[in-house]
Amino acid sequence: MTHNYLGLDAGGTSTRAVVVSSDGRCTGVGKAGSGNPTSAGVDAATTAIRSAVTQALKTAEIDRVSGAALAVAGTGNPDYRAAIVSAISDLVEDEPVFEFDVLAAYFSGTAAPDGYVLLSGTGAAAVRVEDGRLAAISDGLGWLLGDVGSGFWLGREVVRAGLAPLDGRGAETSLTGLVLDRLGTPHDAGLQGGRTNTLVAATGALYAMPPLRLADFAALVFTAAEAGDEVAAGILDRAAAGLAETLAAVRTPEVDGPLVAAGSVLARQPGFAARVAPGAVIATDGLAGAAVLTLRHAGVPVDDAVYHRITSSLAQLTRV
Amino acid sequence: MTHNYLGLDAGGTSTRAVVVSSDGRCTGVGKAGSGNPTSAGVDAATTAIRSAVTQALKTAEIDRVSGAALAVAGTGNPDYRAAIVSAISDLVEDEPVFEFDVLAAYFSGTAAPDGYVLLSGTGAAAVRVEDGRLAAISDGLGWLLGDVGSGFWLGREVVRAGLAPLDGRGAETSLTGLVLDRLGTPHDAGLQGGRTNTLVAATGALYAMPPLRLADFAALVFTAAEAGDEVAAGILDRAAAGLAETLAAVRTPEVDGPLVAAGSVLARQPGFAARVAPGAVIATDGLAGAAVLTLRHAGVPVDDAVYHRITSSLAQLTRV
């Protein structure tokens, strides 16, 4: 008899849920907004998680699942975990288990129990996986203290480099125009307090955003670098060096498994991913990994055949 | 007949008020907490400002002054200015004038109407002064977007460089021990989620602080660099290059006046100040400059004799 299990991958941008049967067929998926209780607030996160889960169950045409593995970022606080478990307790028979969201990213690229994942999304980290578990992690220390080469890191560098020439610092760069266009700040050379109205308006608009929103400017560095901008190329060089150092910190000769590249920056920029993680499998979302994690916790061996069934059934479901 | 005027220098750390007579004698000073309405909140700032002003009047043994010049950071919002004026309206006869706080810093180092000031305190900026007025400013864009070489910038680099070796990134540095000592984080090699308890505790403590408090770690870079730490020396090299670029952005051949170095980083680190601003006069606080500004606004010419009277009378007052 087949059982159904729930896999959940919840981060700062979105929450995805998948229902997978014990033979590896994914039969339902659901999606909602941020499920990270630290950044989105615990009420918004639990609402998003329940919404994604009920959608997945509805697509699968079932009322509940036997078990669940929850890969949710920002659940260091035990109260947050309890709130999430409580929000879906009527939908899951066994007590759900929590997993590191980086493991969902890893298993979205491979079924191998030993290997590495390099992530660059809003944050950035590298993880060594041994026997399906997190064995070591480097960076992932957040926007203020780490996350070198992440979307936030890139966006912050883009904005700083773009603003600098507006008061005579730094090298001229096409990032200035790209940042101002994105902000919708018109060119205005009039002065207030020694600064141009352009610069005053741009800094005002940027400080009105939550700091993490600077990650929205990350894509501009690729646009500018591809057009030959040297300042942008320099930012990418430093990001690549930082990510290489982060990955090197978890590498060990004893573990010679596959390398997965994950996170929005690496998934959307395959050229950059190939540079910082040569030969890596690129994982575009964490759903397949969430399915693997929930099967592993249910005691289902995830071999290549099961893994192939997971990814191909998911591709069909998400294509519709 | 001599009149009395009020000079006020209010920033994120403290608020200082001075009463100066029209012949340049300072007769009263007062001090209170942060008077920056943007960072401290408008109620706390106006309370601090009134407290500093009433102390200065009391020391000077007068009830009110003829006029006032207020060099207050963070008063871009007109409502904040109105609240400050209202808080001291019974103590000042004429409508107070607002001035850029960077001008108080400049005139604390010189009476010359044309020249330059390079500031590195919590923030960092350079200003060209012409005819006693702010003619150009570079950087000063705040902790997130600029302030290269400031206390916040240095403290952030110190903390990031200090934490990196705790998960295998970056070069070994004595900053790690200095940062952990300052946080009071004990050494604990036990692991949680792939990270040492030391790293988890340190990042938790740092994220519990307001981001600007990272400026408190700036002094550690000088301690480490003096003891030969190469990572610390590299941070200082980048800070010095950034401050040199900021100063160069406001330099013009037409203005050949004195250079003043100001702000807590430069005032406390004369060796670093000599490196980034060779030949500069170091201004240790903004009180003398606030006195100059209020006299200039009252139409009193501040020549070398008056300036000398301001600084010597202030030295006597603040020594007591």
Side-chain angles (χ1 to χ4, degrees), chain A residues 100 125 134-148 152-153 156-157 159-160 163-164 167-171 191-195 199 202-204 206-207 209-211 214 242 245-246 248-250, chain B residues 100 125 134-148 152-153 156-157 159-160 163-164 167-171 191-195 199 202-204 206-207 209-211 214 242 245-246 248-250:
Chain A
F100 297 106
L134 186 152
I137 183 167
S138 70
D139 205 349
L141 298 187
W143 65 279
L144 189 60
L145 304 178
D147 287 357
V148 181
F152 173 79
W153 189 98
R156 179 179 172 278
E157 294 296 310
V159 169
R160 293 174 75 99
L163 294 184
D167 63 15
R169 295 173 298 121
L191 292 171
Q192 48 181 309
R195 296 191 177 102
L199 181 55
T203 54
L206 289 162
Y207 277 110
M209 301 175 180
L214 292 191
E245 190 170 61
T246 298
V250 296
Chain B
F100 297 105
L134 185 151
I137 183 167
S138 69
D139 206 349
L141 298 187
W143 65 278
L144 189 61
L145 304 178
D147 287 357
V148 181
F152 172 79
W153 189 98
R156 178 179 172 278
E157 294 296 311
V159 169
R160 292 174 76 99
L163 294 184
D167 62 16
R169 294 172 299 121
L191 291 173
Q192 47 180 309
R195 297 192 177 102
L199 181 54
T203 54
L206 288 162
Y207 277 110
M209 301 175 181
L214 292 191
E245 191 170 60
T246 298
V250 295

Side-chain angles (χ1 to χ4, degrees), chain A residues 174-185:
Chain A
S174 60
L175 293 171
T176 302
L178 291 170
V179 168
L180 294 178
D181 282 353
R182 174 139 195 150
L183 287 169
T185 305

Side-chain angles (χ1 to χ4, degrees), chain A residues 284-314:
Chain A
T284 51
D285 74 33
L287 265 187
V292 171
L293 288 171
T294 195
L295 289 185
R296 287 182 63 95
H297 276 288
V300 177
V302 181
D303 56 19
D304 286 347
V306 172
Y307 192 71
H308 179 73
R309 215 172 291 137
I310 290 172
T311 53
S312 55
S313 58
L314 254 184

Side-chain angles (χ1 to χ4, degrees), chain B:
Chain B
M1 181 195 164
T2 60
H3 289 274
N4 289 302
Y5 298 96
L6 176 77
L8 185 84
D9 178 45
T13 307
S14 70
T15 299
R16 269 85 43 96
V18 58
V19 171
V20 59
S21 67
S22 41
D23 61 358
R25 276 182 313 110
C26 296
T27 55
V29 290
K31 187 173 176 181
S34 174
N36 180 328
T38 299
S39 62
V42 66
D43 290 343
T46 51
T47 302
I49 288 168
R50 184 171 173 94
S51 167
V53 172
T54 51
Q55 278 175 52
L57 292 170
K58 195 175 169 191
T59 327
E61 299 178 347
I62 58 175
D63 295 324
R64 45 199 288 152
V65 291
S66 302
L70 313 177
V72 186
T75 51
N77 183 330
D79 292 345
Y80 292 169
R81 295 182 176 223
I84 291 167
V85 168
S86 168
I88 58 171
S89 61
D90 56 321
L91 309 173
V92 186
E93 281 164 31
D94 292 343
E95 178 82 4
V97 291
F98 282 85
E99 267 294 4
F100 297 105
D101 55 336
V102 288
L103 285 181
Y106 173 76
F107 283 117
S108 289
T110 181
D114 298 314
Y116 302 92
V117 57
L118 179 66
L119 281 120
S120 174
T122 302
V127 166
R128 183 172 76 246
V129 179
E130 295 182 37
D131 196 22
R133 295 194 183 87
L134 185 151
I137 183 167
S138 69
D139 206 349
L141 298 187
W143 65 278
L144 189 61
L145 304 178
D147 287 357
V148 181
S150 66
F152 172 79
W153 189 98
L154 288 167
R156 178 179 172 278
E157 294 296 311
V158 160
V159 169
R160 292 174 76 99
L163 294 184
L166 293 174
D167 62 16
R169 294 172 299 121
E172 293 292 325
T173 166
S174 60
L175 293 171
T176 302
L178 291 170
V179 168
L180 295 177
D181 282 354
R182 172 137 197 155
L183 287 170
T185 305
H187 182 72
D188 181 346
L191 291 173
Q192 47 180 309
R195 297 192 177 102
T196 63
N197 290 331
T198 302
L199 181 54
V200 172
T203 54
L206 288 162
Y207 277 110
M209 301 175 181
L212 270 179
R213 282 278 308 281
L214 292 191
D216 297 350
F217 295 83
L220 302 181
V221 75
F222 296 99
T223 309
E226 277 155 29
D229 189 283
E230 289 186 14
V231 171
I235 292 172
L236 285 182
D237 287 348
R238 287 185 291 126
L243 288 168
E245 191 170 60
T246 298
L247 180 57
V250 295
R251 287 267 197 196
T252 174
E254 285 86 58
V255 174
D256 187 30
L259 171 62
V260 176
S264 55
V265 171
L266 300 182
R268 288 178 199 155
Q269 302 290 342
F272 186 66
R275 178 177 171 188
V276 297
V281 179
I282 295 180
T284 51
D285 75 31
L287 265 187
V292 171
L293 288 172
T294 196
L295 289 184
R296 287 182 64 94
H297 276 287
V300 176
V302 181
D303 57 19
D304 286 347
V306 172
Y307 192 72
H308 179 73
R309 215 172 291 137
I310 290 172
T311 54
S312 56
S313 57
L314 254 184
Q316 282 197 304
L317 270 176
T318 52
R319 192 180 302 141
V320 177

